[in-house]
């Protein structure tokens, strides 16, 4: 494992990688604080009405990167809280659950008061919380889980709930201008839980008594006035007020969120200050886009699930996608998987030879928290994909037959990451490459060039290196006066591989084999069907 033993404090304190920039915002916050904190709190929030998704992973991963950087430049202990807003009322029945009809009668109840449709936990909220914890645990994240239901009902939030009540008018002054006129007429920061139905009620507050710690509302069924305490789990707060209350109650120093929550951050920060607390430091990250450039939406289902990504690429490639340029909108679709995988391999491969100043800018250093695996990765994922394609591989053992010739010292046992890549390449080939492959016949000029290439390849040694092979390919392209050598290589890809682009062709030939490539070209020249 590579480590950071040679990285000085000075280098760490001046690191430009964004996790260090965010960590320095936190240390500056501590320096400017009048109170002495003995613990730094970073938080991520989760709405458990649905299952964990790729955005959940991104937020926890990115916050973990900040925490890792913070540990290296600050001696104050820290922890990451994964907070579940499981006291929210269920507003609509999710589509992707069993026995969905059974939930209709429980709409508007807190998630932790709804029977689990999966039949495995005490409640629907408990089930989804368990899914969240299992999801985070599978990636090895270090966190402390907190439940809104537990915090509200245990009294953990009681003190700050009374603060909100005492500042009721100021909170309303902040919130009302952000609402539509119709919503203003009924808005209240407090949502009482109906004693009869268990519903989270969206009703106006008729009276508020900060001395008694209660609010009065009209029961929507009996139309009688009801007085309830705001503490002890009898009420929960509206979202933006709840966020501000939570920041103060938990002492949150840092929380990032998506661009769609900018207005929420502004309102919650104002409320937090009204409560005599400082809102946390914040990073606003850009949202993900689908293959058409539209915003990813859970309800639309137009993105990629984490389990889908991991079917075709290693988790480190997903981590790299999340790590790079969090403030830039990025397409999140299947066709970006090979590129991210190869970029990860490139970063990982060059890390050990970099100077300390460069190491801490290298994404793989952050992805592995400085302990980067040392097993070599002699082949790119792109090459493995094209090998799977040309071999019509249905099993990684086929690919290993060629890897063993290209890199004799490599083996599935000594190179577990490479072995995983080979298996993933087969999966990706089956799903995305094989269905879209379209071979074409060579033109007259291309036919002549291919025949020349066969002649030149036949003169090379079977142990020729990829650079020597690449030079021959270049020379043939120049000899037959392709206006742009890119067109020459595209001809090779389209005729021989059935696709518009591919790997560095010399490297591919060295992996696949000179004689095998000659046979492949001859099959194309004889107009055999290369798709079989």
């Amino acid at each position: 494992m590579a480590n950071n033993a040679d990285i000085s404090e000075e280098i760490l304190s001046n690191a430009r990688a964004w996790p260090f920039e965010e960590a320095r915002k936190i240390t500056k916050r501590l320096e400017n604080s009048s109170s002495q904190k003995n613990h730094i709190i970073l938080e991520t929030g989760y709405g458990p009405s649905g299952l964990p998704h790729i955005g959940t992973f991104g937020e926890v991963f990115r916050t973990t990167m900040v925490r890792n950087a913070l540990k290296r430049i600050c001696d104050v202990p820290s922890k990451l809280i994964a907070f579940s807003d499981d006291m929210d009322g269920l507003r609509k029945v999710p589509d992707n659950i069993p026995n969905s009809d059974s939930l209709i009668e429980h709409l508007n109840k807190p998630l932790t008061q709804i029977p689990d449709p999966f039949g495995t936990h005490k409640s629907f909220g408990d089930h989804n919380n368990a899914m969240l914890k299992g999801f985070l645990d599978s990636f090895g994240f270090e966190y402390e889980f907190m439940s809104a239901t537990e915090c509200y009902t245990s009294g953990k939030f009681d003190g700050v709930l009374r603060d909100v009540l005492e500042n009721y008018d100021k909170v309303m002054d902040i919130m009302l201008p952000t609402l539509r006129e119709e919503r203003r007429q009924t808005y209240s920061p407090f949502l009482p839980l109906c004693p009869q139905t268990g519903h989270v009620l969206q009703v106006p507050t008729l009276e508020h008594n900060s001395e008694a710690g209660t609010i009065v509302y009209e029961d929507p069924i009996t139309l009688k006035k009801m007085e309830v305490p705001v503490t002890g789990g009898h009420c929960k707060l509206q979202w933006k007020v709840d966020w501000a209350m939570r920041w103060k109650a938990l002492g949150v120093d840092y929380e990032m969120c998506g661009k769609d929550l900018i207005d929420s951050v502004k309102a919650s920060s104002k409320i937090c200050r009204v409560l005599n607390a400082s809102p946390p430091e914040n990073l606003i990250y850009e949202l993900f886009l689908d293959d058409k450039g539209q915003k990813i939406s859970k309800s639309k289902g137009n993105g990629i699930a984490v389990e889908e990504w991991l079917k075709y690429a290693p988790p480190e490639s997903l981590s790299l996608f999340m790590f790079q340029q969090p403030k830039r909108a990025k397409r999140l679709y299947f066709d970006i998987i090979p590129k991210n995988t190869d970029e990860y391999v490139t970063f990982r491969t060059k890390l050990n030879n970099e100077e300390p100043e460069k190491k801490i800018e290298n994404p793989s250093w952050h992805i592995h928290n400085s302990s980067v695996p040392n097993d070599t990765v002699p082949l790119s994922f792109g090459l493995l994909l094209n090998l799977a394609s040309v071999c019509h591989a249905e099993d990684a053992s086929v690919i290993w037959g060629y890897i063993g010739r290209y890199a004799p010292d490599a083996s599935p046992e000594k190179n577990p990451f490479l072995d995983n890549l080979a298996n993933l390449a087969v999966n990706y080939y089956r799903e995305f490459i094989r269905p879209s492959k379209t071979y074409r016949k060579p033109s007259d000029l291309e036919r002549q060039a291919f025949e020349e290439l066969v002649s030149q390849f036949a003169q090379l040694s079977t142990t020729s290196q990829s650079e020597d092979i690449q030079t021959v390919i270049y020379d043939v392209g120049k000899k037959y006066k392709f206006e742009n050598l890119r067109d020459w290589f595209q001809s090779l890809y389209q005729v021989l591989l059935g696709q518009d682009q591919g790997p560095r062709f010399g490297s591919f030939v060295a992996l696949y084999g000179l004689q095998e490539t000659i046979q492949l070209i001859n099959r194309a020249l004889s107009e055999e069907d290369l798709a079989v």
Side-chain angles (χ1 to χ4, degrees), residues 84-124:
S84 172
D85 199 5
D86 56 16
M87 202 167 164
D88 256 0
L90 182 67
R91 298 183 182 181
K92 65 177 183 177
V93 177
D95 298 327
N96 57 344
I97 62 171
N99 308 311
S100 57
D101 290 346
S102 67
L103 295 191
I104 294 176
E105 63 179 295
H106 298 289
L107 286 174
N108 300 312
K109 289 183 181 178
L111 295 161
T112 46
Q113 298 301 316
I114 297 173
D116 178 18
F118 295 87
T120 57
H121 292 79
K122 181 180 177 181
S123 71
F124 187 34

Side-chain angles (χ1 to χ4, degrees), residues 255-300:
E255 181 162 5
M256 61 177 64
C257 63
K259 185 178 179 180
D260 56 336
L261 294 181
I262 289 178
D263 289 341
S264 297
V265 170
K266 290 178 180 177
S268 297
S269 295
K270 290 178 182 178
I271 295 168
C272 194
R273 294 186 184 99
V274 162
L275 301 178
N276 198 30
S278 296
E281 301 304 312
N282 182 256
L283 179 146
I284 303 291
Y285 56 81
E286 265 287 359
L287 305 177
F288 302 132
L289 308 176
D290 65 11
D291 57 328
K292 298 179 178 63
Q294 301 298 311
K295 187 179 81 170
I296 294 292
S297 166
K298 283 190 290 183
S299 59
K300 290 181 183 176

Side-chain angles (χ1 to χ4, degrees), residues 2-4 7 12 20 69 72 347 351 358-372:
N3 58 51
N4 68 315
I7 298 179
L12 290 169
F20 281 101
R72 299 180 187 281
F347 283 124
L351 182 87
K358 292 291 185 182
K359 282 185 178 181
I360 57 174
E361 309 300 330
N362 187 317
S364 66
W365 189 88
H366 293 269
I367 289 169
H368 293 284
N369 196 17
S370 82
S371 298
V372 181

